[in-house]
Amino acid sequence: MNIPKTISLDHGSGGLASQHLIKDLFLKYLSNPVLDGLEDCAILEQYNGRIAMSTDSYVVDPLFFPGGNIGELAVNGTINDLAMRGARPVALSLGLIIEEGFSAVDLERIIAAIAKATELAGVDIVTGDTKVVPRGKADKIFINTTGVGVVPDKVNISGKNAQPGNVVLVSGTIGDHGITIMANQAGLAIDGDIQSDTMALHPLVDAVLQQSGDSIRVLRDPTRGGLATSLCEIASASSVSITIEEDKLPIRPPVNAACELIGLDPLYLANEGKCIVICDQEKAEATLGCMRSMDQGEEAAIIGRVIDDKPGRVTLTTRIGGSRLIEPLTGHPLPRIC
Amino acid sequence: MNIPKTISLDHGSGGLASQHLIKDLFLKYLSNPVLDGLEDCAILEQYNGRIAMSTDSYVVDPLFFPGGNIGELAVNGTINDLAMRGARPVALSLGLIIEEGFSAVDLERIIAAIAKATELAGVDIVTGDTKVVPRGKADKIFINTTGVGVVPDKVNISGKNAQPGNVVLVSGTIGDHGITIMANQAGLAIDGDIQSDTMALHPLVDAVLQQSGDSIRVLRDPTRGGLATSLCEIASASSVSITIEEDKLPIRPPVNAACELIGLDPLYLANEGKCIVICDQEKAEATLGCMRSMDQGEEAAIIGRVIDDKPGRVTLTTRIGGSRLIEPLTGHPLPRIC
């Protein structure tokens, strides 16, 4: 590889060193006919359906963590945002901001993870950009991915569509990603197999939409702010109330234990491979069965329902039968979760 | 405004403070029906044409400079990348990475500039993301914009399409943006009215394509690496040689003077509102006339031609009749030009 051990300012100059980085590293892993064109702008196809678009920047610290690294997080996170409107992802852009002196080996690990995640998801990186800033002006690497997807004609999924009587499901255990990153940041060694749940959810969404069609009202991946904040946002956007049951929430025992140790509520922890599904009551069991039949939803559960109460209100029925008001996240104990 | 004087980590948490920032600041300036939906993913229309996609991160230092700021640069730069393939821009995403403690007043100025630039260009910000990193982990603010555009059926513009006999034009004076930023970074007060040329070029591209149709072979905005590097890339991608004439290059006298003072070559300076146009010889004069009739091309000029010589070779005929080999940028005197 025509690349030294560390990334220098030259690699972001747009000149010869930039070209080496692109050809010797990025194309080695991410090659596809569109990207290989090396134009400043990618040209895709004409698509039969509405175009969906979503963007996220990833600043997670540490870059490498149990279950993944910033690279696959950046791919899966943006794909999931597309999937949450029922869009089939078709292309991703990749924008890198790298600190001068960043390890070329670490960069290669991250690009390899991006390549693996895009391959798994069946989506290409079609265009990209790399900037390098002087030492101390950024922290190692920040990644932006923006995704383009296509929404089939009849699909109409939105956070505004929840209706009283609907059932609330979650596709698996909550808190895994958030507790993994927080424990790493805090330097805590946690017992048990805790790792990030980062994964692409569009196959699960495809299957659920195939199964239950327009009975699916809302899809939402509870990332920053966790399940609690996402439910509050949905309740507010749909002008409904949502109630969930504590003993129905799928939470891994080591996640629960770690939360107690650090003093965190798993309801507010970020997830990177889970989604909330809100659907008509008559399709709830079939939707649950469909989710559980998929790799991405083996531990799916019905956790609550939408009710006709104060708009925006979310409540939790506790294990001992009490009721607790759930509010959106107000502060954040540690930044750079994703 | 429900926002304090500086941006805090809470504003990037995805919780209540993030919502305040979005509703009280971003929507105040950027409101449109799609963005106002506040979904994690925007749904646009179905488009009649191929979808184009381009991304750029902006890390310019200083954030505010004569002629503009990082906000309009981020809008115009990405719109221009779309336009350089003949795409009509239809939507932009906006990804912000903000350093804890960044001035809310400066953020508002930047968002206002983004709003003005998008309004001028007739393109909406349809989706966004904001991350805040701790003090010292980024330098004030970095912005990613990703653009989606639509390429009309017959348009086929690519850096690979230059053919011997074609004529090379540039839409106006070169080096204005680069010298403005570099002089600012170096703390030099330069005489004369030097300012960034940041502007959106799609109206110019529309007019030129209307005028000269498929006689237009290549469009390229010579940003990082300047005119020299862009011409080398085109010559290489098209396997042709390009020759340009020094005395035909439009350069403002104060830019030339400043370049001599700092010891820079205007051929390698970044431009943010100029494009190279390569077209068939028989349409060159008509294309030039069309460009000069537009606000974005008043100082357009024919600067050279494509010849059948060593592939990738670019030469400059100097004022005194000599010939100088033009190579792509290899190093970069100062980073963070855009």
Side-chain angles (χ1 to χ4, degrees):
Chain A
M1 186 163 80
N2 224 324
I3 294 172
K5 284 187 182 165
T6 59
I7 301 304
S8 71
L9 291 173
D10 272 2
H11 289 116
S13 68
L16 221 49
S18 301
Q19 291 297 319
H20 283 311
L21 189 68
I22 291 166
K23 290 183 179 162
D24 295 342
L25 178 55
F26 299 158
L27 290 189
K28 175 179 167 191
Y29 288 96
L30 304 174
S31 172
N32 62 69
V34 178
L35 188 66
D36 297 356
L38 294 181
E39 305 267 3
D40 286 345
C41 166
I43 296 187
L44 313 172
E45 303 164 31
Q46 176 164 340
Y47 296 101
N48 189 20
R50 289 159 292 163
I51 296 297
M53 189 179 184
S54 187
T55 193
D56 257 325
S57 297
Y58 298 83
V59 299
V60 65
D61 176 37
L63 298 175
F64 302 91
F65 45 80
N69 68 47
I70 188 173
E72 58 221 302
L73 203 64
V75 171
N76 294 337
T78 294
I79 285 178
N80 288 347
D81 279 343
L82 291 172
M84 294 306 123
R85 299 294 302 274
R88 177 174 53 88
V90 295
L92 288 180
S93 66
L94 177 66
L96 305 177
I97 298 174
I98 305 176
E99 183 187 11
E100 176 189 14
F102 183 59
S103 154
V105 171
D106 283 349
L107 181 60
E108 185 161 6
R109 281 176 69 192
I110 291 167
I111 299 296
I114 288 172
K116 196 174 159 195
T118 52
E119 202 184 314
L120 268 173
V123 180
D124 283 337
I125 303 286
V126 296
T127 191
D129 173 61
T130 303
K131 294 291 189 307
V132 181
V133 297
R135 222 176 277 269
K137 299 298 185 187
D139 191 15
K140 299 186 277 288
I141 187 168
F142 301 143
I143 301 181
N144 176 282
T145 50
T146 303
V148 163
V150 178
V151 188
D153 261 359
K154 290 177 191 160
V155 171
N156 175 26
I157 310 286
S158 160
K160 296 179 177 61
N161 292 354
Q163 294 179 352
N166 288 170
V167 171
V168 181
L169 301 94
V170 68
S171 66
T173 57
I174 61 166
D176 300 65
H177 178 77
I179 199 71
T180 301
I181 302 301
M182 286 182 167
N184 256 267
Q185 288 181 352
L188 289 176
I190 291 180
D191 289 339
D193 181 25
I194 300 189
Q195 61 173 33
S196 169
D197 58 350
T198 178
M199 68 176 136
L201 294 169
H202 60 300
L204 178 82
V205 168
D206 275 357
V208 162
L209 288 175
Q210 201 79 32
Q211 161 65 46
S212 301
D214 52 15
S215 297
I216 305 298
R217 304 285 171 176
V218 181
L219 298 168
R220 182 68 57 98
D221 57 334
T223 54
R224 281 181 295 176
L227 185 69
T229 307
S230 289
L231 290 175
C232 289
E233 285 172 6
I234 295 166
S236 172
S238 295
S239 292
V240 295
S241 186
I242 292 176
T243 177
I244 58 173
E245 295 174 56
E246 189 173 25
D247 63 3
K248 299 282 175 64
L249 294 175
I251 304 175
R252 289 189 209 286
V255 171
N256 245 338
C259 278
E260 277 173 25
L261 184 72
I262 311 184
L264 293 169
D265 185 340
L267 279 174
Y268 291 90
L269 292 179
N271 309 278
E272 291 290 340
K274 299 293 153 47
C275 70
I276 299 165
V277 178
I278 299 185
C279 72
D280 292 349
Q281 182 166 8
E282 55 272 29
K283 286 290 177 81
E285 284 298 334
T287 303
L288 179 66
C290 171
M291 291 166 79
R292 286 192 171 161
S293 74
M294 305 284 298
D295 286 346
Q296 298 90 354
E298 282 175 359
E299 293 170 282
I302 291 174
I303 60 168
R305 57 204 169 89
V306 181
I307 56 176
D308 186 11
D309 198 349
K310 195 181 164 204
R313 183 184 176 98
V314 178
T315 52
L316 174 86
T317 303
T318 63
R319 275 190 194 84
I320 54 168
S323 180
R324 183 184 135 204
L325 189 65
I326 300 294
E327 303 202 72
L329 182 71
T330 48
H332 205 298
L334 288 166
R336 301 180 65 187
I337 294 302
C338 59
Chain B
M1 186 162 77
N2 224 326
I3 295 172
K5 285 186 181 166
T6 59
I7 302 304
S8 70
L9 291 172
D10 272 1
H11 290 115
S13 68
L16 220 50
S18 301
Q19 291 298 320
H20 282 312
L21 189 68
I22 291 167
K23 291 184 178 163
D24 295 343
L25 178 54
F26 299 159
L27 290 189
K28 175 179 167 190
Y29 288 95
L30 304 175
S31 171
N32 64 68
V34 178
L35 189 66
D36 296 357
L38 295 181
E39 305 267 1
D40 287 343
C41 167
I43 296 187
L44 312 172
E45 303 163 34
Q46 176 165 342
Y47 296 102
N48 188 19
R50 288 159 293 163
I51 295 299
M53 189 179 183
S54 186
T55 193
D56 258 324
S57 297
Y58 298 83
V59 299
V60 65
D61 175 37
L63 298 175
F64 302 91
F65 44 80
N69 68 46
I70 190 174
E72 56 221 301
L73 204 64
V75 171
N76 294 337
T78 293
I79 284 178
N80 288 347
D81 280 343
L82 292 172
M84 294 306 123
R85 301 293 303 273
R88 178 174 53 89
V90 296
L92 289 179
S93 66
L94 178 65
L96 305 177
I97 298 174
I98 305 176
E99 182 187 11
E100 176 189 14
F102 184 60
S103 152
V105 170
D106 284 348
L107 180 60
E108 185 161 6
R109 281 176 69 193
I110 291 167
I111 299 297
I114 289 172
K116 197 174 158 194
T118 52
E119 202 183 314
L120 269 172
V123 179
D124 282 337
I125 303 285
V126 296
T127 189
D129 173 61
T130 302
K131 294 290 189 306
V132 181
V133 297
R135 223 176 276 267
K137 299 298 184 186
D139 190 16
K140 298 187 276 287
I141 187 168
F142 301 142
I143 300 182
N144 176 283
T145 51
T146 303
V148 164
V150 178
V151 188
D153 261 358
K154 290 177 194 161
V155 172
N156 174 27
I157 310 285
S158 160
K160 297 180 177 60
N161 292 354
Q163 294 179 353
N166 288 171
V167 172
V168 181
L169 302 93
V170 69
S171 67
T173 57
I174 59 165
D176 301 66
H177 178 77
I179 199 71
T180 302
I181 303 301
M182 286 183 168
N184 257 267
Q185 288 181 351
L188 290 176
I190 291 179
D191 288 340
D193 182 25
I194 300 188
Q195 61 173 33
S196 169
D197 59 350
T198 178
M199 68 176 136
L201 294 169
H202 60 298
L204 178 82
V205 169
D206 275 356
V208 162
L209 289 175
Q210 201 79 34
Q211 162 64 45
S212 302
D214 52 16
S215 297
I216 305 298
R217 304 285 172 175
V218 181
L219 298 168
R220 182 68 59 97
D221 57 335
T223 53
R224 282 183 294 177
L227 185 68
T229 307
S230 289
L231 290 175
C232 290
E233 286 172 7
I234 295 166
S236 172
S238 294
S239 292
V240 294
S241 185
I242 293 175
T243 177
I244 58 172
E245 296 176 55
E246 189 174 24
D247 63 3
K248 300 282 175 63
L249 294 175
I251 304 175
R252 289 188 208 286
V255 171
N256 246 335
C259 278
E260 278 173 25
L261 183 72
I262 311 185
L264 293 169
D265 185 340
L267 281 174
Y268 291 90
L269 292 179
N271 308 278
E272 292 289 340
K274 298 295 152 45
C275 70
I276 298 165
V277 177
I278 298 184
C279 72
D280 293 348
Q281 184 168 7
E282 56 271 28
K283 286 291 177 80
E285 285 298 334
T287 303
L288 179 66
C290 171
M291 290 165 81
R292 284 192 171 161
S293 74
M294 304 285 297
D295 286 347
Q296 298 89 355
E298 283 175 357
E299 293 169 281
I302 291 176
I303 60 168
R305 59 206 166 88
V306 181
I307 56 175
D308 185 10
D309 198 349
K310 194 181 164 204
R313 183 183 177 96
V314 178
T315 54
L316 174 85
T317 303
T318 64
R319 275 190 194 86
I320 55 168
S323 180
R324 183 183 134 204
L325 188 66
I326 300 295
E327 302 201 74
L329 182 72
T330 48
H332 206 297
L334 288 165
R336 303 181 65 187
I337 294 302
C338 59

